[in-house]
């Protein structure tokens, strides 16, 4: 696992002639990805747009995105890691057993063809979604696909990019990296940052019952997390900042309504390729912004944490 | 009624963060969008500037923001290992504040990335 070979979506638009979507359904989840950035646009070195590009979709089922693809590869659920590892071997010309490939739901010929096409591409991109990064193998799958992209650079230009879901989840990674040195799951309890996914990641922390208070901002774990994690949120004092009363608000001790990011709250948001973009809110909210409320909580905590006035030694006692 | 037009507005619904949206709004809601996809259009139209929810709740009862901020500070200050989680649907400026608060209270800060 060593870093991510990536680029901006502008480079994809202007250069990419081979586009792979792995474990994602952009047609329904990122509807403008094809038309604004990747597939149909004409680019500086892609004069004919869609005709100059090849698209491959790898997924466990035929989603609406398959219609846009030139090649659809249906992989058996939770066999992505095996497929990626096989591709890495094929690209290097190593022998691969036919019957082992059959377990993945694909044939050796299909993978050989994909490996050849990847090596022949002028500029290839691997977009990977949560179908890869949140199924069996999880971060090992992400690491494998990033390694595949890196290794392909021995033959041609190849990059990888995660298809990020929520609006500014990329910004969260960037801001945490900038301020703490790590992208997520950072423990600051000792006064310096420590990073250990599995130990300091939220679901694990909650299921083990390690934390004794929670501040939830711009998320609704009460609707999305495993039940034992939600149970722990209900046990401890939970504070929610959200534009709506969420599932988490209902089990929280404190809820504060805030303005909606991008609609009535201004600021900066990162696109999935880590390009920061300014927001242009169209409405004025009657509620304060998350930023403002967080700053006020910060000030209120700081006021409580102020050390007690020093005890003055009255001087030597006369005897 | 006169509509305000915002050009090149940025949509924060998904990770595409399209920044070429045109919004037509009265003072209460966005009534028309141009260039937005189905998800973006419903995102813009479903959030209004109306006061639909109480400004704050403490134990299910309505409270002022001041009271709620004090209550939040009390719980976070008293906790041995508080958790700050989410950060996905807020601005970078707010994320920075959240991380700074996590540092002050000596907690764990985490986002959707860890899921």
């Amino acid at each position: 696992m060593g870093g991510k070979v990536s680029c901006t979506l502008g480079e994809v638009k202007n250069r990419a002639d081979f586009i792979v979507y792995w474990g994602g359904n952009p047609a329904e989840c990122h509807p403008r990805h094809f038309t604004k950035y990747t597939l149909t646009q004409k680019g500086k070195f892609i004069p004919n747009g869609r005709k100059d590009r090849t698209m491959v979709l790898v997924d466990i089922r035929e989603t609406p995105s398959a219609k846009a693809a030139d090649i659809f590869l249906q992989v058996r659920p939770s066999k992505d890691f095996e497929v990626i590892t096989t591709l890495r071997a094929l690209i290097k010309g190593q022998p691969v057993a036919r019957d082992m490939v059959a377990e993945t739901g694909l044939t050796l010929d299909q993978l050989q063809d994909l490996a050849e096409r990847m090596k022949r591409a002028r500029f290839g991109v691997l977009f990977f979604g949560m179908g890869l990064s949140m199924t069996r193998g999880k971060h090992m799958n992400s690491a494998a696909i990033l390694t595949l992209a890196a290794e392909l650079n021995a033959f041609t230009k190849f990059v990888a990019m995660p298809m990020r879901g929520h609006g500014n989840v990329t910004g969260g990674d960037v801001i945490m990296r900038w301020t703490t040195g790590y992208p997520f799951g950072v423990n600051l309890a000792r006064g310096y940052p420590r990073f250990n996914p599995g130990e300091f990641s939220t679901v694990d922390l909650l299921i083990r019952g390690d934390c004794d208070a929670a501040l939830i901002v711009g998320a609704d774990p009460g609707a999305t997390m495993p039940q034992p994690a939600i149970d722990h949120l209900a046990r401890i004092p939970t504070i929610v900042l959200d534009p709506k009363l969420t599932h988490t608000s209902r089990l929280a001790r404190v809820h504060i309504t805030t303005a909606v990011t991008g609609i009535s709250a201004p600021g900066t948001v990162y696109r999935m390729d880590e390009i920061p973009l300014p927001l242009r809110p169209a409405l004025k909210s009657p509620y304060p912004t998350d930023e403002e409320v967080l700053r006020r909580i910060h000030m209120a905590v700081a006021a409580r944490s102020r050390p007690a006035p020093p005890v003055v030694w009255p001087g030597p006692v006369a005897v | 009624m006169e509509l305000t037009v915002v050009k090149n507005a940025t949509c924060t619904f998904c990770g595409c963060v399209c920044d070429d949206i045109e919004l037509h709004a009265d003072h209460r809601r966005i009534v028309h969008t141009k260039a937005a996809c189905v998800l973006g259009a419903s995102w813009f139209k479903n959030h209004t500037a109306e006061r639909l929810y109480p400004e704050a709740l403490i134990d299910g009862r309505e409270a002022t923001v001041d009271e709620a901020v004090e209550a939040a500070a009390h719980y976070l200050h008293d906790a041995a290992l508080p958790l700050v989680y989410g950060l996905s649907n807020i601005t970078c400026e707010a994320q920075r504040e959240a991380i700074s608060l996590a540092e002050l209270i000596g907690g764990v800060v985490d986002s959707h990335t860890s899921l």
Side-chain angles (χ1 to χ4, degrees):
Chain A
M1 292 199 216
K4 173 173 71 174
V5 185
S6 201
C7 70
T8 66
L9 288 169
E11 285 177 273
V12 173
K13 177 188 154 192
N14 282 311
R15 296 172 188 275
D17 62 341
F18 194 78
I19 296 158
V20 183
Y21 285 97
W22 200 307
N25 179 12
E28 287 183 307
C29 301
H30 298 86
R32 295 184 73 204
H33 209 258
F34 291 152
T35 53
K36 192 163 189 269
Y37 303 114
T38 59
L39 212 56
T40 56
Q41 286 274 343
K42 287 178 183 165
K44 192 170 180 187
F45 303 104
I46 307 287
N48 304 313
R50 181 68 183 90
K51 283 194 217 80
D52 290 342
R53 307 190 204 254
T54 307
M55 175 187 152
V56 180
L57 179 72
V58 186
D59 210 341
I60 56 162
R61 62 192 174 91
E62 200 173 332
T63 62
S65 300
K67 278 195 209 79
D70 298 299
I71 301 168
F72 171 61
L73 298 175
Q74 187 162 8
V75 54
R76 202 165 280 164
S78 73
K79 290 288 177 193
D80 301 86
F81 186 84
E82 286 81 348
V83 177
I84 297 168
T85 313
T86 308
L87 281 171
R88 285 179 56 200
L90 290 173
I91 279 154
K92 291 178 193 157
Q94 288 165 356
V96 174
R98 204 165 271 279
D99 54 330
M100 283 180 79
V101 176
E103 265 179 39
T104 63
L106 301 174
T107 65
L108 183 58
D109 298 333
Q110 280 175 307
L111 290 186
Q112 192 73 55
D113 175 59
L114 179 58
E116 289 309 319
R117 284 173 188 268
M118 283 170 138
K119 284 163 81 169
R120 275 204 311 270
R122 278 189 300 141
F123 187 114
V125 200
L126 287 159
F127 289 106
F128 58 102
M130 297 198 292
L132 182 73
S133 59
M134 287 198 189
T135 53
R136 179 176 166 266
K138 296 191 103 177
H139 64 280
M140 292 309 289
N141 291 348
S142 310
I145 204 159
L146 294 177
T147 311
L148 173 64
E151 288 177 352
L152 275 161
N153 281 275
F155 306 95
T156 183
K157 174 72 187 170
F158 230 98
V159 298
M161 194 186 298
M163 296 286 286
R164 306 311 297 274
H166 296 280
N168 199 22
V169 64
T170 313
D173 291 11
V174 173
I175 304 298
M176 251 191 270
R177 258 154 40 194
W178 159 51
T179 50
T180 73
Y182 303 110
F184 62 92
V186 181
N187 186 340
L188 297 157
R190 287 192 188 162
Y192 58 89
R194 289 182 297 153
F195 174 61
N196 195 10
E199 188 180 9
F200 307 138
S201 30
T202 299
V203 175
D204 307 275
L205 214 56
L206 289 173
I207 289 179
R208 283 195 311 266
D210 282 354
C211 52
D212 54 354
L215 171 65
I216 311 293
V217 199
D220 190 8
T224 52
M225 282 200 172
Q227 195 57 43
I230 298 174
D231 292 344
H232 190 65
L233 279 176
R235 265 196 299 274
I236 60 175
T238 296
I239 301 131
V240 174
L241 270 54
D242 205 277
K244 292 197 158 140
L245 283 175
T246 63
H247 288 88
T248 319
S249 308
R250 284 179 232 289
L251 56 83
R253 302 291 297 270
V254 182
H255 164 93
I256 302 175
T257 309
T258 53
V260 190
T261 303
I263 290 178
S264 47
T268 314
V269 161
Y270 273 77
R271 199 165 69 185
M272 62 167 76
D273 56 348
E274 300 188 0
I275 297 293
L277 294 163
L279 298 174
R280 293 187 178 80
L283 300 175
K284 232 177 133 62
S285 177
Y287 303 109
T289 61
D290 294 297
E291 186 187 350
E292 197 184 323
V293 175
L294 285 165
R295 193 173 295 130
R296 285 174 65 181
I297 296 175
H298 190 287
M299 273 164 21
V301 174
R304 282 165 193 268
S305 328
R306 221 158 271 146
V311 179
V312 181
W313 187 48
V317 181
V319 277
Chain B
M1 185 180 162
E2 193 73 16
L3 295 176
T4 44
V5 176
V6 180
K7 291 202 165 151
N8 299 323
T10 310
C11 173
T12 60
F13 182 79
C14 82
C16 284
V17 191
C18 299
D19 57 343
D20 58 351
I21 317 283
E22 191 174 307
L23 301 174
H24 296 224
D26 57 26
H27 62 282
R28 225 159 46 87
R29 57 172 65 235
I30 294 159
V31 292
H32 181 63
T33 63
K34 273 188 197 168
C37 68
V38 278
L39 301 175
S42 61
W43 160 257
F44 280 119
K45 287 178 183 166
N46 281 334
H47 290 94
T48 66
E50 293 161 309
R51 192 180 278 274
L52 295 174
Y53 305 98
E55 62 181 36
L57 293 174
I58 299 175
D59 292 321
R61 281 192 297 276
E62 284 195 31
T64 64
V65 175
D66 287 338
E67 289 162 349
V69 163
E70 276 308 316
H74 164 75
Y75 288 130
L76 294 173
H77 180 253
D78 276 6
L81 186 68
L83 164 72
V84 178
Y85 173 74
L87 315 191
S88 296
N89 294 328
I90 61 175
T91 61
C92 293
E93 290 79 358
Q95 287 165 344
R96 188 184 180 186
E97 285 298 330
I99 296 163
S100 158
L101 176 60
E103 187 180 12
L104 178 70
I105 59 181
V108 172
V109 57
D110 190 26
S111 77
H112 283 104
T113 303
S114 80
L115 278 178

